[in-house]
Amino acid sequence: MSHSVPPSTGHRGALRPSALLTALLVSVGSYALMQTMIVPALPVLTRELDTDPSTAGWLITAFMLGSAVLTPVVGSLGDRYGHRRMMLVSLGVFLLSTLGAAFAPGVPFLIVMRAFEGISMATLPLALTLIREKMPPERTVSAFGLTSAMIGGGAGLGMVVGGLLIDSASWRWMFGVESVLIAIALLLVVVYVPETSRQRTGHTATPARLDLPGAILLAASMSALLLAVTQGSAWGWGSGRVIGLFVLAAVLLAALGTVETRRAAPLVDIRLLRHGPMFVTTVATLLIGAIPFLFYVLLPPLLQTPESAGAPYGHGLSVIEAGLLLLPGAIGTMIAGRLGPMLSHRFGARAPLFAAMALMAAGGVLMAVWHGSVLQIGVIFVLVGFGSGFGFAALASLVAKIVPRRDLAAGNSLNTVVRTIGSAIGSQLATVLLQSSIVSSTGLPTDDAFGQGFWLAGGLGVAGIVLTVALRVHPYESAGAPTGAVDTAKAGAV
C-alpha cells in the first residue's frame, strides 16, 4: 500500500506554494541555462581544446542524448521512490558533473560530463508532477505555463550569460557559475519542496521495476541516429556507414516500440501515441524542440563572423554583443509562456500551439530573406522567442488536457524525451548545414548555408501549423483508468 506524505515544507511547517514554485523554477532554470550556455563557447572550446567543429558539436549533442535517456529513467524512479527524492538525486548528479566539466582536462572527458549533465532535464517532468500534486488547483495552470516557459527563456538567457562569461573570463567559469546556481536549487528543494505520495504504476498497487531494456534501446537508437546525422557530411550521406547507422536506428526504434508496448510500466509509454491527439501533440513537440535550436546554432556564427573575414554576412559582434542582441527574444519567450494559459482560456487549447508555429514559421522565413543587418536579426528573433514561449506553454497544457491524471507522469516523460530529441536533431542539422558548405579560401560557411537553415526552420513551422489545424483535443482513456481521471480530463478538453 502506498503512503501519502502530508504537504509540508520538507519537515518544517505548512506548504508554501510560492516558495515551492520558486524552488522548482530555480531547479528547472539551472537546466535551461546549461543547455545553451555552451553554444557561444563552441568556437573557443574548439580552439582551446585543440579539436574540430564536428567533435565540439557533440558538447551539445551529448547533453541532449543524456537528457533523452536519463529523463525517463529518473521519472520512473520518481514514481517508485518519490519525486522530491529524485529531484535531489538529479540535481546532485548535475552538480557533480558540472564541477567535473569545470576541471575537464580535454574534450573527451568534457563530452562525458556533458552527457551526465543531461540528467538535469529530468527536473522539468519532476517539477510538473510536483506542481500537479502539491500546488493549489487554482494556481496549477499558471505554474505549468511559467515552469515550461522557463525552459525557453532560460535557453535564451543561457546564451547571454555564456557570452558574458567567455568575454570576461575562461570557459571554465561557465560551469563554475552554473555549479553555484545548482547548489542553490538543491538547498531550495531540501527546504521548500514536500515529497509526493508514491505513484501507482500501470494498474498494480506497487511500482514496477525499472525498464532497463527500454533504457538500453532508447540510448542505442538515439546514439545511432545522432551519429549518422553528425557524420553524414564527413562520411558521405550515401556511404555504407551512414546508411547502416540510419538502418540500425530504425531497427532499434522498432524494437523499442515492441518492447515498450508489452511492458506494464514502460520507460517511454509509446501506447499513448495510439491516441490521435497525443500523437499529433508529440509530433508538434518534436518540431518545437528542433526549430529554436536551428536558430541557437546558426545565429552566433552569423553575428560573430568579422566583417573583414571575406564572408558576405559578417557582422563582427563580440560574443557578449551577440548574446545581448538575442536577449529580447529570450525575454519574449518568458512573456509568451505567461500569456499562453490566457490565450488557451480565451481561444481554446490549440491557440497557443498555433501562435507558436505561426510565429516561428514567420521568423524562419523572414530571417532567411533578411539577415543582412543586426537590427533585422534582433527584431525577427523576438518573433521566434515569443513562438518558442507559446510552444512550451501549449505542450504542458495539452498533455494535461489529453492524458488522465494517472498517466500524467508518463505523458510528461514522453513529451520531454521527444522535445529533447527534437532539440538534438535541430542542433545537429544546423551544424551539418554549416559544415557542408565551407569555403576553402576563408574556412567559413557560405551565406546560402544560413539561408537554408532559416528556410528549414520556416518550413518546419508551416508543417506545425498544419498539425495544429488537424489537432482535435480530447482525453485519452486508457484501459482501467479511474473514472474520475477521465472525467477530469474531459472537463478540460476542447
Side-chain angles (χ1 to χ4, degrees):
M1 172 180 282
S2 59
H3 298 279
S4 172
V5 178
S8 62
T9 306
H11 299 285
R12 306 189 309 179
L15 173 69
R16 297 168 59 186
S18 295
L20 166 64
L21 183 59
T22 298
L24 297 179
L25 288 177
V26 174
S27 300
V28 173
S30 67
Y31 150 72
L33 285 171
M34 197 70 259
Q35 68 174 334
T36 55
M37 193 184 291
I38 202 169
V39 171
L42 288 180
V44 176
L45 290 165
T46 301
R47 181 177 65 253
E48 295 192 6
L49 296 177
D50 192 25
T51 186
D52 58 89
S54 178
T55 302
W58 272 91
L59 293 171
I60 298 176
T61 305
F63 183 87
M64 298 299 177
L65 181 61
S67 297
V69 175
L70 295 174
T71 295
V73 171
V74 172
S76 178
L77 292 174
D79 291 341
R80 187 175 183 86
Y81 298 110
H83 298 93
R84 174 184 180 270
R85 181 175 298 175
M86 293 314 301
M87 177 75 83
L88 292 172
V89 170
S90 300
L91 290 171
V93 174
F94 187 22
L95 177 59
L96 292 175
S97 56
T98 301
L99 288 172
F103 297 98
V107 71
F109 185 84
L110 185 56
I111 289 175
V112 172
M113 291 297 98
R114 287 287 291 168
F116 279 108
E117 280 187 323
I119 196 174
S120 59
M121 167 62 98
T123 58
L124 177 60
L126 290 172
L128 293 177
T129 302
L130 285 161
I131 288 171
R132 185 69 179 236
E133 292 292 324
K134 297 300 179 181
M135 288 291 289
E138 65 274 11
R139 297 187 60 177
T140 299
V141 173
S142 62
F144 272 166
L146 185 58
T147 305
S148 299
M150 179 65 73
I151 297 296
L157 290 173
M159 299 181 70
V160 179
V161 174
L164 177 63
L165 292 173
I166 294 165
D167 257 11
S168 58
S170 164
W171 61 267
R172 298 183 186 276
W173 275 100
M174 288 190 308
F175 299 104
V177 170
E178 175 71 13
S179 298
V180 175
L181 181 60
I182 301 168
I184 293 172
L186 260 170
L187 179 62
L188 290 174
V189 171
V190 168
V191 176
Y192 294 118
V193 177
E195 185 58 272
T196 58
S197 57
R198 296 183 182 180
Q199 302 294 302
R200 294 188 177 189
T201 303
H203 309 302
T204 59
T206 57
R209 293 181 179 179
L210 177 65
D211 180 14
L212 187 59
I216 293 173
L217 286 170
L218 179 63
S221 59
M222 289 301 99
S223 298
L225 176 61
L226 294 176
L227 184 60
V229 173
T230 303
Q231 300 299 327
S233 297
W235 294 347
W237 293 104
S239 67
R241 284 186 290 181
V242 172
I243 293 175
L245 283 170
F246 277 125
V247 171
L248 177 61
V251 171
L252 291 172
L253 284 171
L256 175 65
T258 301
V259 169
E260 297 300 85
T261 53
R262 294 178 178 177
R263 295 188 69 88
L267 187 70
V268 180
D269 197 348
I270 298 177
R271 291 170 293 192
L272 293 173
L273 298 180
R274 296 172 180 171
H275 184 57
M278 189 62 186
F279 177 80
V280 174
T281 300
T282 301
V283 177
T285 300
L286 190 74
L287 297 178
I288 289 174
I291 296 173
F293 268 83
L294 285 167
F295 290 94
Y296 294 155
V297 175
L298 290 171
L299 287 179
L302 178 66
L303 293 168
Q304 295 171 33
T305 300
E307 296 180 64
S308 59
Y313 53 80
H315 295 290
L317 299 186
S318 67
V319 177
I320 184 58
E321 288 172 339
L324 289 173
L325 179 69
L326 303 179
L327 180 59
I331 296 173
T333 301
M334 302 193 72
I335 294 173
R338 295 302 303 270
L339 295 177
M342 289 185 283
L343 195 65
S344 176
H345 178 73
R346 184 173 180 82
F347 298 105
R350 294 184 300 172
L353 186 61
F354 184 88
M357 296 302 183
L359 288 169
M360 290 193 290
V365 171
L366 292 173
M367 196 78 79
V369 176
W370 292 301
H371 55 265
S373 77
V374 168
L375 180 60
Q376 289 172 341
I377 293 173
V379 171
I380 295 170
F381 188 68
V382 171
L383 295 179
V384 177
F386 268 87
S388 178
F390 280 127
F392 289 125
L395 295 179
S397 176
L398 285 169
V399 171
K401 290 178 182 297
I402 292 171
V403 179
R405 189 183 185 93
R406 65 177 284 114
D407 297 322
L408 187 62
N412 281 327
S413 179
L414 176 64
N415 183 276
T416 303
V417 169
V418 170
R419 185 171 58 78
T420 305
I421 292 170
S423 299
I425 293 174
S427 65
Q428 284 303 319
L429 285 175
T431 303
V432 167
L433 284 172
L434 296 180
Q435 292 178 352
S436 61
S437 59
I438 298 294
V439 178
S440 57
S441 59
T442 63
L444 297 171
T446 65
D447 186 62
D448 287 343
F450 293 97
Q452 290 168 5
F454 295 134
W455 279 116
L456 176 60
L460 293 176
V462 171
I465 293 174
V466 174
L467 282 172
T468 305
V469 172
L471 178 61
R472 297 293 180 269
V473 183
H474 58 86
Y476 169 83
E477 298 184 21
S478 57
T483 303
V486 176
D487 290 342
T488 300
K490 285 181 177 177
V494 175

